[in-house]
PDB file of all heavy atoms in Angstrom:
ATOM      1  N   ILE A   1     124.987 103.381 108.850  1.00 99.00           N
ATOM      2  CA  ILE A   1     124.577 104.589 109.570  1.00 99.00           C
ATOM      3  C   ILE A   1     123.551 105.368 108.741  1.00 99.00           C
ATOM      4  O   ILE A   1     122.531 105.838 109.259  1.00 99.00           O
ATOM      5  CB  ILE A   1     125.802 105.462 109.902  1.00 99.00           C
ATOM      6  CG1 ILE A   1     126.703 104.750 110.925  1.00 99.00           C
ATOM      7  CG2 ILE A   1     125.360 106.830 110.445  1.00 99.00           C
ATOM      8  CD1 ILE A   1     128.056 105.417 111.123  1.00 99.00           C
ATOM      9  N   LYS A   2     123.812 105.508 107.445  1.00 99.00           N
ATOM     10  CA  LYS A   2     122.866 106.218 106.591  1.00 99.00           C
ATOM     11  C   LYS A   2     121.517 105.505 106.546  1.00 99.00           C
ATOM     12  O   LYS A   2     120.459 106.147 106.585  1.00 99.00           O
ATOM     13  CB  LYS A   2     123.443 106.362 105.176  1.00 99.00           C
ATOM     14  CG  LYS A   2     124.640 107.297 105.088  1.00 99.00           C
ATOM     15  CD  LYS A   2     125.098 107.520 103.651  1.00 99.00           C
ATOM     16  CE  LYS A   2     124.135 108.416 102.893  1.00 99.00           C
ATOM     17  NZ  LYS A   2     124.626 108.764 101.551  1.00 99.00           N
ATOM     18  N   ALA A   3     121.534 104.177 106.484  1.00 99.00           N
ATOM     19  CA  ALA A   3     120.274 103.423 106.455  1.00 99.00           C
ATOM     20  C   ALA A   3     119.509 103.590 107.760  1.00 99.00           C
ATOM     21  O   ALA A   3     118.272 103.709 107.761  1.00 99.00           O
ATOM     22  CB  ALA A   3     120.556 101.948 106.198  1.00 99.00           C
ATOM     23  N   ARG A   4     120.218 103.606 108.881  1.00 99.00           N
ATOM     24  CA  ARG A   4     119.552 103.811 110.173  1.00 99.00           C
ATOM     25  C   ARG A   4     118.795 105.130 110.173  1.00 99.00           C
ATOM     26  O   ARG A   4     117.638 105.192 110.612  1.00 99.00           O
ATOM     27  CB  ARG A   4     120.586 103.792 111.308  1.00 99.00           C
ATOM     28  CG  ARG A   4     120.008 104.198 112.661  1.00 99.00           C
ATOM     29  CD  ARG A   4     121.063 104.268 113.757  1.00 99.00           C
ATOM     30  NE  ARG A   4     121.381 102.937 114.264  1.00 99.00           N
ATOM     31  CZ  ARG A   4     122.278 102.703 115.232  1.00 99.00           C
ATOM     32  NH1 ARG A   4     122.959 103.713 115.758  1.00 99.00           N
ATOM     33  NH2 ARG A   4     122.492 101.468 115.655  1.00 99.00           N
ATOM     34  N   TYR A   5     119.425 106.192 109.710  1.00 98.00           N
ATOM     35  CA  TYR A   5     118.772 107.503 109.785  1.00 98.00           C
ATOM     36  C   TYR A   5     117.763 107.715 108.666  1.00 98.00           C
ATOM     37  O   TYR A   5     116.792 108.470 108.848  1.00 98.00           O
ATOM     38  CB  TYR A   5     119.819 108.617 109.903  1.00 98.00           C
ATOM     39  CG  TYR A   5     120.331 108.597 111.318  1.00 98.00           C
ATOM     40  CD1 TYR A   5     121.461 107.870 111.658  1.00 98.00           C
ATOM     41  CD2 TYR A   5     119.595 109.178 112.346  1.00 98.00           C
ATOM     42  CE1 TYR A   5     121.868 107.745 112.966  1.00 98.00           C
ATOM     43  CE2 TYR A   5     119.997 109.066 113.655  1.00 98.00           C
ATOM     44  CZ  TYR A   5     121.121 108.345 113.967  1.00 98.00           C
ATOM     45  OH  TYR A   5     121.503 108.212 115.281  1.00 98.00           O
ATOM     46  N   ALA A   6     117.939 107.054 107.550  1.00 98.00           N
ATOM     47  CA  ALA A   6     116.880 107.090 106.539  1.00 98.00           C
ATOM     48  C   ALA A   6     115.619 106.433 107.090  1.00 98.00           C
ATOM     49  O   ALA A   6     114.499 106.917 106.879  1.00 98.00           O
ATOM     50  CB  ALA A   6     117.340 106.374 105.274  1.00 98.00           C
ATOM     51  N   ASN A   7     115.780 105.351 107.820  1.00 98.00           N
ATOM     52  CA  ASN A   7     114.633 104.683 108.432  1.00 98.00           C
ATOM     53  C   ASN A   7     114.038 105.529 109.550  1.00 98.00           C
ATOM     54  O   ASN A   7     112.818 105.571 109.744  1.00 98.00           O
ATOM     55  CB  ASN A   7     115.052 103.321 108.979  1.00 98.00           C
ATOM     56  CG  ASN A   7     113.863 102.400 109.214  1.00 98.00           C
ATOM     57  OD1 ASN A   7     113.068 102.186 108.311  1.00 98.00           O
ATOM     58  ND2 ASN A   7     113.741 101.864 110.416  1.00 98.00           N
ATOM     59  N   ARG A   8     114.913 106.223 110.268  1.00 98.00           N
ATOM     60  CA  ARG A   8     114.451 107.094 111.357  1.00 98.00           C
ATOM     61  C   ARG A   8     113.505 108.176 110.829  1.00 98.00           C
ATOM     62  O   ARG A   8     112.649 108.668 111.556  1.00 98.00           O
ATOM     63  CB  ARG A   8     115.662 107.734 112.036  1.00 98.00           C
ATOM     64  CG  ARG A   8     115.350 108.432 113.331  1.00 98.00           C
ATOM     65  CD  ARG A   8     115.345 107.492 114.529  1.00 98.00           C
ATOM     66  NE  ARG A   8     116.684 107.325 115.069  1.00 98.00           N
ATOM     67  CZ  ARG A   8     117.312 106.159 115.185  1.00 98.00           C
ATOM     68  NH1 ARG A   8     116.738 105.046 114.760  1.00 98.00           N
ATOM     69  NH2 ARG A   8     118.528 106.084 115.685  1.00 98.00           N
ATOM     70  N   LEU A   9     113.662 108.530 109.572  1.00 98.00           N
ATOM     71  CA  LEU A   9     112.870 109.607 108.988  1.00 98.00           C
ATOM     72  C   LEU A   9     111.585 109.111 108.332  1.00 98.00           C
ATOM     73  O   LEU A   9     111.019 109.781 107.474  1.00 98.00           O
ATOM     74  CB  LEU A   9     113.708 110.374 107.961  1.00 98.00           C
ATOM     75  CG  LEU A   9     114.935 111.100 108.505  1.00 98.00           C
ATOM     76  CD1 LEU A   9     115.649 111.854 107.388  1.00 98.00           C
ATOM     77  CD2 LEU A   9     114.568 112.053 109.635  1.00 98.00           C
ATOM     78  N   SER A  10     111.100 107.947 108.744  1.00 98.00           N
ATOM     79  CA  SER A  10     109.896 107.373 108.124  1.00 98.00           C
ATOM     80  C   SER A  10     108.681 108.285 108.249  1.00 98.00           C
ATOM     81  O   SER A  10     107.775 108.223 107.415  1.00 98.00           O
ATOM     82  CB  SER A  10     109.586 106.012 108.739  1.00 98.00           C
ATOM     83  OG  SER A  10     109.291 106.123 110.124  1.00 98.00           O
ATOM     84  N   LYS A  11     108.637 109.139 109.276  1.00 97.00           N
ATOM     85  CA  LYS A  11     107.519 110.060 109.444  1.00 97.00           C
ATOM     86  C   LYS A  11     107.775 111.420 108.806  1.00 97.00           C
ATOM     87  O   LYS A  11     106.889 112.267 108.777  1.00 97.00           O
ATOM     88  CB  LYS A  11     107.220 110.240 110.944  1.00 97.00           C
ATOM     89  CG  LYS A  11     106.731 108.981 111.620  1.00 97.00           C
ATOM     90  CD  LYS A  11     106.769 109.070 113.146  1.00 97.00           C
ATOM     91  CE  LYS A  11     105.744 110.021 113.700  1.00 97.00           C
ATOM     92  NZ  LYS A  11     105.672 109.957 115.191  1.00 97.00           N
ATOM     93  N   ARG A  12     108.985 111.614 108.313  1.00 98.00           N
ATOM     94  CA  ARG A  12     109.369 112.924 107.790  1.00 98.00           C
ATOM     95  C   ARG A  12     109.672 112.923 106.289  1.00 98.00           C
ATOM     96  O   ARG A  12     109.600 113.965 105.645  1.00 98.00           O
ATOM     97  CB  ARG A  12     110.611 113.424 108.533  1.00 98.00           C
ATOM     98  CG  ARG A  12     110.338 114.006 109.911  1.00 98.00           C
ATOM     99  CD  ARG A  12     109.695 115.360 109.774  1.00 98.00           C
ATOM    100  NE  ARG A  12     109.511 116.051 111.038  1.00 98.00           N
ATOM    101  CZ  ARG A  12     109.024 117.281 111.143  1.00 98.00           C
ATOM    102  NH1 ARG A  12     108.687 117.945 110.046  1.00 98.00           N
ATOM    103  NH2 ARG A  12     108.865 117.843 112.302  1.00 98.00           N
ATOM    104  N   ASN A  13     110.032 111.761 105.746  1.00 98.00           N
ATOM    105  CA  ASN A  13     110.510 111.702 104.361  1.00 98.00           C
ATOM    106  C   ASN A  13     109.755 110.616 103.618  1.00 98.00           C
ATOM    107  O   ASN A  13     109.862 109.434 103.953  1.00 98.00           O
ATOM    108  CB  ASN A  13     112.015 111.420 104.354  1.00 98.00           C
ATOM    109  CG  ASN A  13     112.590 111.342 102.954  1.00 98.00           C
ATOM    110  OD1 ASN A  13     111.916 111.641 101.969  1.00 98.00           O
ATOM    111  ND2 ASN A  13     113.845 110.930 102.863  1.00 98.00           N
ATOM    112  N   THR A  14     109.019 110.988 102.599  1.00 97.00           N
ATOM    113  CA  THR A  14     108.243 110.011 101.834  1.00 97.00           C
ATOM    114  C   THR A  14     109.136 109.039 101.064  1.00 97.00           C
ATOM    115  O   THR A  14     108.687 107.970 100.654  1.00 97.00           O
ATOM    116  CB  THR A  14     107.300 110.727 100.842  1.00 97.00           C
ATOM    117  OG1 THR A  14     108.071 111.584  99.994  1.00 97.00           O
ATOM    118  CG2 THR A  14     106.255 111.538 101.589  1.00 97.00           C
ATOM    119  N   ASP A  15     110.403 109.393 100.875  1.00 98.00           N
ATOM    120  CA  ASP A  15     111.345 108.512 100.196  1.00 98.00           C
ATOM    121  C   ASP A  15     112.164 107.676 101.182  1.00 98.00           C
ATOM    122  O   ASP A  15     113.158 107.045 100.796  1.00 98.00           O
ATOM    123  CB  ASP A  15     112.307 109.327  99.325  1.00 98.00           C
ATOM    124  CG  ASP A  15     111.601 110.002  98.157  1.00 98.00           C
ATOM    125  OD1 ASP A  15     110.649 109.390  97.618  1.00 98.00           O
ATOM    126  OD2 ASP A  15     111.974 111.128  97.804  1.00 98.00           O
ATOM    127  N   SER A  16     111.744 107.657 102.435  1.00 98.00           N
ATOM    128  CA  SER A  16     112.518 106.969 103.471  1.00 98.00           C
ATOM    129  C   SER A  16     112.821 105.525 103.102  1.00 98.00           C
ATOM    130  O   SER A  16     113.974 105.075 103.159  1.00 98.00           O
ATOM    131  CB  SER A  16     111.751 107.021 104.807  1.00 98.00           C
ATOM    132  OG  SER A  16     112.274 106.116 105.743  1.00 98.00           O
ATOM    133  N   ALA A  17     111.796 104.753 102.729  1.00 98.00           N
ATOM    134  CA  ALA A  17     112.003 103.334 102.436  1.00 98.00           C
ATOM    135  C   ALA A  17     112.928 103.140 101.244  1.00 98.00           C
ATOM    136  O   ALA A  17     113.825 102.272 101.256  1.00 98.00           O
ATOM    137  CB  ALA A  17     110.662 102.652 102.193  1.00 98.00           C
ATOM    138  N   THR A  18     112.744 103.950 100.205  1.00 98.00           N
ATOM    139  CA  THR A  18     113.610 103.866  99.021  1.00 98.00           C
ATOM    140  C   THR A  18     115.050 104.156  99.387  1.00 98.00           C
ATOM    141  O   THR A  18     115.979 103.470  98.935  1.00 98.00           O
ATOM    142  CB  THR A  18     113.126 104.848  97.948  1.00 98.00           C
ATOM    143  OG1 THR A  18     111.778 104.532  97.582  1.00 98.00           O
ATOM    144  CG2 THR A  18     114.011 104.784  96.711  1.00 98.00           C
ATOM    145  N   ASP A  19     115.259 105.168 100.216  1.00 98.00           N
ATOM    146  CA  ASP A  19     116.614 105.532 100.640  1.00 98.00           C
ATOM    147  C   ASP A  19     117.243 104.397 101.448  1.00 98.00           C
ATOM    148  O   ASP A  19     118.420 104.062 101.254  1.00 98.00           O
ATOM    149  CB  ASP A  19     116.579 106.814 101.471  1.00 98.00           C
ATOM    150  CG  ASP A  19     116.255 108.050 100.641  1.00 98.00           C
ATOM    151  OD1 ASP A  19     116.335 107.973  99.399  1.00 98.00           O
ATOM    152  OD2 ASP A  19     115.917 109.084 101.247  1.00 98.00           O
ATOM    153  N   VAL A  20     116.478 103.821 102.364  1.00 99.00           N
ATOM    154  CA  VAL A  20     116.991 102.711 103.171  1.00 99.00           C
ATOM    155  C   VAL A  20     117.514 101.599 102.267  1.00 99.00           C
ATOM    156  O   VAL A  20     118.638 101.111 102.429  1.00 99.00           O
ATOM    157  CB  VAL A  20     115.899 102.156 104.110  1.00 99.00           C
ATOM    158  CG1 VAL A  20     116.322 100.811 104.693  1.00 99.00           C
ATOM    159  CG2 VAL A  20     115.601 103.124 105.241  1.00 99.00           C
ATOM    160  N   LEU A  21     116.703 101.178 101.322  1.00 98.00           N
ATOM    161  CA  LEU A  21     117.072 100.054 100.466  1.00 98.00           C
ATOM    162  C   LEU A  21     118.263 100.387  99.573  1.00 98.00           C
ATOM    163  O   LEU A  21     119.114  99.524  99.313  1.00 98.00           O
ATOM    164  CB  LEU A  21     115.864  99.616  99.633  1.00 98.00           C
ATOM    165  CG  LEU A  21     114.669  99.109 100.461  1.00 98.00           C
ATOM    166  CD1 LEU A  21     113.481  98.821  99.558  1.00 98.00           C
ATOM    167  CD2 LEU A  21     115.048  97.885 101.277  1.00 98.00           C
ATOM    168  N   SER A  22     118.351 101.629  99.143  1.00 98.00           N
ATOM    169  CA  SER A  22     119.498 102.049  98.348  1.00 98.00           C
ATOM    170  C   SER A  22     120.783 101.983  99.166  1.00 98.00           C
ATOM    171  O   SER A  22     121.816 101.465  98.703  1.00 98.00           O
ATOM    172  CB  SER A  22     119.281 103.467  97.821  1.00 98.00           C
ATOM    173  OG  SER A  22     120.434 103.956  97.165  1.00 98.00           O
ATOM    174  N   PHE A  23     120.739 102.487 100.394  1.00 99.00           N
ATOM    175  CA  PHE A  23     121.930 102.479 101.246  1.00 99.00           C
ATOM    176  C   PHE A  23     122.339 101.052 101.601  1.00 99.00           C
ATOM    177  O   PHE A  23     123.536 100.720 101.626  1.00 99.00           O
ATOM    178  CB  PHE A  23     121.696 103.295 102.506  1.00 99.00           C
ATOM    179  CG  PHE A  23     121.436 104.764 102.251  1.00 99.00           C
ATOM    180  CD1 PHE A  23     120.571 105.490 103.075  1.00 99.00           C
ATOM    181  CD2 PHE A  23     122.039 105.426 101.191  1.00 99.00           C
ATOM    182  CE1 PHE A  23     120.321 106.831 102.836  1.00 99.00           C
ATOM    183  CE2 PHE A  23     121.803 106.778 100.952  1.00 99.00           C
ATOM    184  CZ  PHE A  23     120.936 107.483 101.778  1.00 99.00           C
ATOM    185  N   LEU A  24     121.372 100.193 101.869  1.00 98.00           N
ATOM    186  CA  LEU A  24     121.696  98.809 102.209  1.00 98.00           C
ATOM    187  C   LEU A  24     122.253  98.066 101.004  1.00 98.00           C
ATOM    188  O   LEU A  24     123.126  97.201 101.151  1.00 98.00           O
ATOM    189  CB  LEU A  24     120.462  98.097 102.759  1.00 98.00           C
ATOM    190  CG  LEU A  24     120.016  98.551 104.156  1.00 98.00           C
ATOM    191  CD1 LEU A  24     118.775  97.799 104.589  1.00 98.00           C
ATOM    192  CD2 LEU A  24     121.133  98.356 105.174  1.00 98.00           C
ATOM    193  N   ASN A  25     121.787  98.403  99.831  1.00 98.00           N
ATOM    194  CA  ASN A  25     122.358  97.807  98.623  1.00 98.00           C
ATOM    195  C   ASN A  25     123.834  98.190  98.485  1.00 98.00           C
ATOM    196  O   ASN A  25     124.681  97.356  98.148  1.00 98.00           O
ATOM    197  CB  ASN A  25     121.573  98.253  97.393  1.00 98.00           C
ATOM    198  CG  ASN A  25     122.084  97.614  96.113  1.00 98.00           C
ATOM    199  OD1 ASN A  25     122.043  96.408  95.949  1.00 98.00           O
ATOM    200  ND2 ASN A  25     122.577  98.444  95.203  1.00 98.00           N
ATOM    201  N   SER A  26     124.141  99.446  98.782  1.00 98.00           N
ATOM    202  CA  SER A  26     125.530  99.896  98.728  1.00 98.00           C
ATOM    203  C   SER A  26     126.378  99.254  99.818  1.00 98.00           C
ATOM    204  O   SER A  26     127.570  98.997  99.621  1.00 98.00           O
ATOM    205  CB  SER A  26     125.600 101.417  98.852  1.00 98.00           C
ATOM    206  OG  SER A  26     124.960 102.053  97.755  1.00 98.00           O
ATOM    207  N   ALA A  27     125.771  98.995 100.971  1.00 98.00           N
ATOM    208  CA  ALA A  27     126.509  98.388 102.083  1.00 98.00           C
ATOM    209  C   ALA A  27     126.949  96.969 101.745  1.00 98.00           C
ATOM    210  O   ALA A  27     128.013  96.516 102.181  1.00 98.00           O
ATOM    211  CB  ALA A  27     125.658  98.390 103.351  1.00 98.00           C
ATOM    212  N   ASP A  28     126.116  96.240 101.013  1.00 98.00           N
ATOM    213  CA  ASP A  28     126.445  94.873 100.603  1.00 98.00           C
ATOM    214  C   ASP A  28     126.865  94.024 101.807  1.00 98.00           C
ATOM    215  O   ASP A  28     127.935  93.414 101.832  1.00 98.00           O
ATOM    216  CB  ASP A  28     127.556  94.890  99.550  1.00 98.00           C
ATOM    217  CG  ASP A  28     127.763  93.525  98.893  1.00 98.00           C
ATOM    218  OD1 ASP A  28     126.796  92.746  98.844  1.00 98.00           O
ATOM    219  OD2 ASP A  28     128.890  93.249  98.447  1.00 98.00           O
ATOM    220  N   LEU A  29     125.991  93.985 102.804  1.00 98.00           N
ATOM    221  CA  LEU A  29     126.297  93.269 104.044  1.00 98.00           C
ATOM    222  C   LEU A  29     126.226  91.762 103.832  1.00 98.00           C
ATOM    223  O   LEU A  29     125.357  91.256 103.119  1.00 98.00           O
ATOM    224  CB  LEU A  29     125.327  93.690 105.138  1.00 98.00           C
ATOM    225  CG  LEU A  29     125.282  95.187 105.462  1.00 98.00           C
ATOM    226  CD1 LEU A  29     124.187  95.494 106.467  1.00 98.00           C
ATOM    227  CD2 LEU A  29     126.638  95.662 105.975  1.00 98.00           C
ATOM    228  N   LYS A  30     127.122  91.039 104.511  1.00 98.00           N
ATOM    229  CA  LYS A  30     127.197  89.588 104.352  1.00 98.00           C
ATOM    230  C   LYS A  30     126.744  88.827 105.593  1.00 98.00           C
ATOM    231  O   LYS A  30     126.376  87.661 105.501  1.00 98.00           O
ATOM    232  CB  LYS A  30     128.634  89.182 104.012  1.00 98.00           C
ATOM    233  CG  LYS A  30     129.186  89.827 102.742  1.00 98.00           C
ATOM    234  CD  LYS A  30     128.319  89.524 101.519  1.00 98.00           C
ATOM    235  CE  LYS A  30     128.942  90.121 100.256  1.00 98.00           C
ATOM    236  NZ  LYS A  30     128.082  89.919  99.065  1.00 98.00           N
ATOM    237  N   GLY A  31     126.811  89.454 106.756  1.00 98.00           N
ATOM    238  CA  GLY A  31     126.431  88.732 107.971  1.00 98.00           C
ATOM    239  C   GLY A  31     126.910  89.438 109.215  1.00 98.00           C
ATOM    240  O   GLY A  31     127.327  90.607 109.176  1.00 98.00           O
ATOM    241  N   ASN A  32     126.876  88.729 110.340  1.00 98.00           N
ATOM    242  CA  ASN A  32     127.229  89.319 111.629  1.00 98.00           C
ATOM    243  C   ASN A  32     128.669  89.801 111.700  1.00 98.00           C
ATOM    244  O   ASN A  32     129.005  90.633 112.544  1.00 98.00           O
ATOM    245  CB  ASN A  32     126.970  88.318 112.754  1.00 98.00           C
ATOM    246  CG  ASN A  32     125.493  88.002 112.937  1.00 98.00           C
ATOM    247  OD1 ASN A  32     124.634  88.859 112.718  1.00 98.00           O
ATOM    248  ND2 ASN A  32     125.188  86.777 113.335  1.00 98.00           N
ATOM    249  N   ALA A  33     129.515  89.287 110.834  1.00 98.00           N
ATOM    250  CA  ALA A  33     130.912  89.734 110.828  1.00 98.00           C
ATOM    251  C   ALA A  33     131.054  91.189 110.430  1.00 98.00           C
ATOM    252  O   ALA A  33     132.110  91.797 110.646  1.00 98.00           O
ATOM    253  CB  ALA A  33     131.741  88.856 109.890  1.00 98.00           C
ATOM    254  N   ASP A  34     129.998  91.769 109.860  1.00 98.00           N
ATOM    255  CA  ASP A  34     130.025  93.188 109.480  1.00 98.00           C
ATOM    256  C   ASP A  34     129.609  94.118 110.621  1.00 98.00           C
ATOM    257  O   ASP A  34     129.564  95.338 110.436  1.00 98.00           O
ATOM    258  CB  ASP A  34     129.101  93.423 108.284  1.00 98.00           C
ATOM    259  CG  ASP A  34     129.611  92.770 107.012  1.00 98.00           C
ATOM    260  OD1 ASP A  34     130.841  92.659 106.853  1.00 98.00           O
ATOM    261  OD2 ASP A  34     128.782  92.353 106.181  1.00 98.00           O
ATOM    262  N   ASP A  35     129.309  93.566 111.779  1.00 98.00           N
ATOM    263  CA  ASP A  35     128.817  94.375 112.898  1.00 98.00           C
ATOM    264  C   ASP A  35     129.851  95.388 113.368  1.00 98.00           C
ATOM    265  O   ASP A  35     131.048  95.072 113.486  1.00 98.00           O
ATOM    266  CB  ASP A  35     128.452  93.488 114.088  1.00 98.00           C
ATOM    267  CG  ASP A  35     127.220  92.645 113.849  1.00 98.00           C
ATOM    268  OD1 ASP A  35     126.597  92.783 112.780  1.00 98.00           O
ATOM    269  OD2 ASP A  35     126.878  91.839 114.745  1.00 98.00           O
ATOM    270  N   MET A  36     129.375  96.575 113.677  1.00 98.00           N
ATOM    271  CA  MET A  36     130.189  97.594 114.344  1.00 98.00           C
ATOM    272  C   MET A  36     129.910  97.459 115.841  1.00 98.00           C
ATOM    273  O   MET A  36     128.894  97.931 116.339  1.00 98.00           O
ATOM    274  CB  MET A  36     129.813  98.991 113.833  1.00 98.00           C
ATOM    275  CG  MET A  36     130.568 100.131 114.484  1.00 98.00           C
ATOM    276  SD  MET A  36     130.061 101.727 113.737  1.00 98.00           S
ATOM    277  CE  MET A  36     130.779 102.877 114.915  1.00 98.00           C
ATOM    278  N   ASN A  37     130.802  96.777 116.534  1.00 98.00           N
ATOM    279  CA  ASN A  37     130.596  96.464 117.950  1.00 98.00           C
ATOM    280  C   ASN A  37     131.478  97.304 118.855  1.00 98.00           C
ATOM    281  O   ASN A  37     132.588  97.697 118.479  1.00 98.00           O
ATOM    282  CB  ASN A  37     130.935  94.990 118.215  1.00 98.00           C
ATOM    283  CG  ASN A  37     129.943  94.031 117.601  1.00 98.00           C
ATOM    284  OD1 ASN A  37     128.752  94.300 117.557  1.00 98.00           O
ATOM    285  ND2 ASN A  37     130.440  92.894 117.127  1.00 98.00           N
ATOM    286  N   ALA A  38     131.008  97.520 120.069  1.00 98.00           N
ATOM    287  CA  ALA A  38     131.870  97.964 121.156  1.00 98.00           C
ATOM    288  C   ALA A  38     132.598  96.730 121.673  1.00 98.00           C
ATOM    289  O   ALA A  38     131.975  95.720 121.992  1.00 98.00           O
ATOM    290  CB  ALA A  38     131.048  98.600 122.267  1.00 98.00           C
ATOM    291  N   ILE A  39     133.919  96.810 121.739  1.00 97.00           N
ATOM    292  CA  ILE A  39     134.752  95.666 122.071  1.00 97.00           C
ATOM    293  C   ILE A  39     135.329  95.837 123.467  1.00 97.00           C
ATOM    294  O   ILE A  39     135.848  96.900 123.813  1.00 97.00           O
ATOM    295  CB  ILE A  39     135.909  95.512 121.058  1.00 97.00           C
ATOM    296  CG1 ILE A  39     135.353  95.454 119.623  1.00 97.00           C
ATOM    297  CG2 ILE A  39     136.750  94.286 121.371  1.00 97.00           C
ATOM    298  CD1 ILE A  39     134.474  94.274 119.340  1.00 97.00           C
ATOM    299  N   PHE A  40     135.279  94.766 124.261  1.00 96.00           N
ATOM    300  CA  PHE A  40     135.753  94.819 125.649  1.00 96.00           C
ATOM    301  C   PHE A  40     136.670  93.631 125.927  1.00 96.00           C
ATOM    302  O   PHE A  40     136.202  92.540 126.238  1.00 96.00           O
ATOM    303  CB  PHE A  40     134.566  94.806 126.609  1.00 96.00           C
ATOM    304  CG  PHE A  40     133.589  95.918 126.368  1.00 96.00           C
ATOM    305  CD1 PHE A  40     132.387  95.668 125.717  1.00 96.00           C
ATOM    306  CD2 PHE A  40     133.871  97.217 126.761  1.00 96.00           C
ATOM    307  CE1 PHE A  40     131.489  96.695 125.477  1.00 96.00           C
ATOM    308  CE2 PHE A  40     132.975  98.248 126.521  1.00 96.00           C
ATOM    309  CZ  PHE A  40     131.784  97.987 125.882  1.00 96.00           C
ATOM    310  N   PRO A  41     137.992  93.818 125.839  1.00 91.00           N
ATOM    311  CA  PRO A  41     138.911  92.704 126.088  1.00 91.00           C
ATOM    312  C   PRO A  41     139.113  92.386 127.564  1.00 91.00           C
ATOM    313  O   PRO A  41     139.810  91.431 127.900  1.00 91.00           O
ATOM    314  CB  PRO A  41     140.218  93.192 125.460  1.00 91.00           C
ATOM    315  CG  PRO A  41     140.136  94.677 125.531  1.00 91.00           C
ATOM    316  CD  PRO A  41     138.685  95.009 125.346  1.00 91.00           C
ATOM    317  N   ASP A  42     138.518  93.180 128.469  1.00 77.00           N
ATOM    318  CA  ASP A  42     138.643  92.959 129.919  1.00 77.00           C
ATOM    319  C   ASP A  42     140.092  92.998 130.376  1.00 77.00           C
ATOM    320  O   ASP A  42     140.556  92.144 131.124  1.00 77.00           O
ATOM    321  CB  ASP A  42     137.991  91.637 130.341  1.00 77.00           C
ATOM    322  CG  ASP A  42     137.844  91.522 131.867  1.00 77.00           C
ATOM    323  OD1 ASP A  42     137.856  92.579 132.529  1.00 77.00           O
ATOM    324  OD2 ASP A  42     137.727  90.395 132.375  1.00 77.00           O
ATOM    325  N   ALA A  43     140.810  94.007 129.916  1.00 65.00           N
ATOM    326  CA  ALA A  43     142.191  94.192 130.355  1.00 65.00           C
ATOM    327  C   ALA A  43     142.293  95.138 131.541  1.00 65.00           C
ATOM    328  O   ALA A  43     143.372  95.550 131.925  1.00 65.00           O
ATOM    329  CB  ALA A  43     143.023  94.727 129.186  1.00 65.00           C
ATOM    330  N   GLY A  44     141.145  95.465 132.132  1.00 65.00           N
ATOM    331  CA  GLY A  44     141.138  96.374 133.264  1.00 65.00           C
ATOM    332  C   GLY A  44     140.593  97.729 132.906  1.00 65.00           C
ATOM    333  O   GLY A  44     140.614  98.147 131.759  1.00 65.00           O
ATOM    334  N   GLY A  45     140.074  98.450 133.913  1.00 62.00           N
ATOM    335  CA  GLY A  45     139.587  99.808 133.719  1.00 62.00           C
ATOM    336  C   GLY A  45     138.495  99.896 132.673  1.00 62.00           C
ATOM    337  O   GLY A  45     137.505  99.171 132.706  1.00 62.00           O
TER     338      GLY A  45
END
């Protein structure tokens, strides 16, 4: 989430790219299993 909004500020913050890379380094993402998804088991409603 922090990386998304650091990138969003590319026109407002000269440190935007540096912040993005710092946050992603902290996230230490491994792959699609790290996705924050909306889940729909289709149990009705």
Side-chain angles (χ1 to χ4, degrees):
I1 293 169
K2 292 186 73 174
R4 172 184 280 180
Y5 284 93
N7 199 53
R8 191 85 86 238
L9 297 182
S10 63
K11 295 166 70 172
R12 281 286 185 177
N13 180 8
T14 56
D15 293 325
S16 166
T18 300
D19 289 345
V20 166
L21 298 175
S22 174
F23 297 147
L24 289 179
N25 183 63
S26 296
D28 191 27
L29 303 175
K30 302 303 183 184
N32 294 327
D34 292 329
D35 290 357
M36 178 178 167
N37 290 324
I39 306 296
F40 303 103
D42 192 22

